């Protein structure tokens, strides 16, 4: 009964495919290296992709002909599979990038049920809840701002800046919502 709509699962898996294929366009790598690359880029903050999911999806992409895997042994290290993108994988990457760029932005704020039911609590409680949301979004924006300088890649910085700006925008919207709902404090 709690299953996600098909379109949601498809978009999530497409985002994972884009990230994996994009990493392989940069350079051949093992699933472990890919997982670490996604971790370093802080991708998991925006795309739900666990370590086991990286491994499962890179194997699936190999099975579908989008990547090739070669087992290598370096010195005393255990064997590992290094993956490379195929021409078919590059085509798939371009197709997925086009599809994702054409999609409308998906906005999913976990606090929306609070706002939808805010009139069911007294004003003091309602103000406290909204103020907590405002503070949470402001402090998250500041925390994200602090992370931005650590990212060397322009794309990563731009993504983080967009997220920080979104948190600030939500805080500003919540301030206005509180004024509209309750009047000036």
């Amino acid at each position: 009964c709690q299953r996600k709509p098909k379109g949601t699962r498809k978009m999530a898996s497409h985002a994972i495919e884009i990230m994996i294929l994009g990493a392989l366009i940069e350079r051949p790598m093992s699933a472990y290296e890919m997982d670490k690359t996604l971790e370093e880029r802080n991708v998991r903050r925006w795309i739900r992709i666990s370590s086991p999911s990286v491994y499962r999806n890179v194997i699936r992409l190999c099975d579908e002909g989008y990547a090739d895997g070669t087992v290598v042994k370096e010195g005393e290290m255990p064997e590992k599979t290094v993956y490379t993108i195929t021409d078919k994988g590059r085509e798939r990457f371009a197709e997925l990038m086009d599809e994702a760029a054409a999609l409308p932005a998906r906005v999913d704020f976990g606090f929306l049920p609070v706002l939808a039911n805010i009139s069911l609590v007294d004003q003091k409680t309602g103000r406290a809840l909204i103020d907590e949301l405002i503070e949470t979004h402001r402090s998250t924006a500041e925390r994200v701002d602090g992370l931005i300088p650590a990212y060397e890649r322009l794309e990563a910085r731009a993504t983080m800046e967009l997220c920080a700006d979104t948190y600030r925008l939500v805080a500003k919207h919540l301030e206005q919502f509180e004024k509209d709902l309750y009047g000036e404090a």
Side-chain angles (χ1 to χ4, degrees), residues 72-141:
V72 298
K73 177 135 175 77
E74 298 171 349
E76 297 295 314
M77 300 297 291
E79 289 183 345
K80 66 179 179 181
T81 304
V82 174
Y83 298 94
T84 57
I85 193 163
T86 62
D87 289 341
K88 182 179 176 183
R90 288 179 187 279
E91 291 172 15
R92 176 71 175 154
F93 177 77
E95 173 187 313
L96 291 171
M97 291 285 281
D98 285 343
E99 286 178 18
L103 290 173
R106 194 179 88 230
V107 179
D108 181 18
F109 297 113
F111 64 84
L112 290 180
V114 172
L115 296 185
N117 290 287
I118 202 78
S119 64
L120 302 176
V121 298
D122 62 87
Q123 181 174 335
K124 181 179 178 185
T125 302
R127 281 188 182 277
L129 290 167
I130 294 169
D131 290 345
E132 182 178 359
L133 286 168
I134 291 167
E135 180 53 35
T136 297
H137 285 81
R138 280 187 185 146
S139 64
T140 302

Side-chain angles (χ1 to χ4, degrees), residues 34-52:
M34 188 175 310
D35 186 54
K36 291 301 169 202
T37 298
L38 298 178
E39 187 69 34
E40 289 167 5
R41 293 182 185 168
N42 208 19
V43 170
R44 289 189 176 100
R45 185 175 185 90
W46 322 116
I47 301 171
R48 299 199 192 296
I49 179 170
S50 65
S51 294

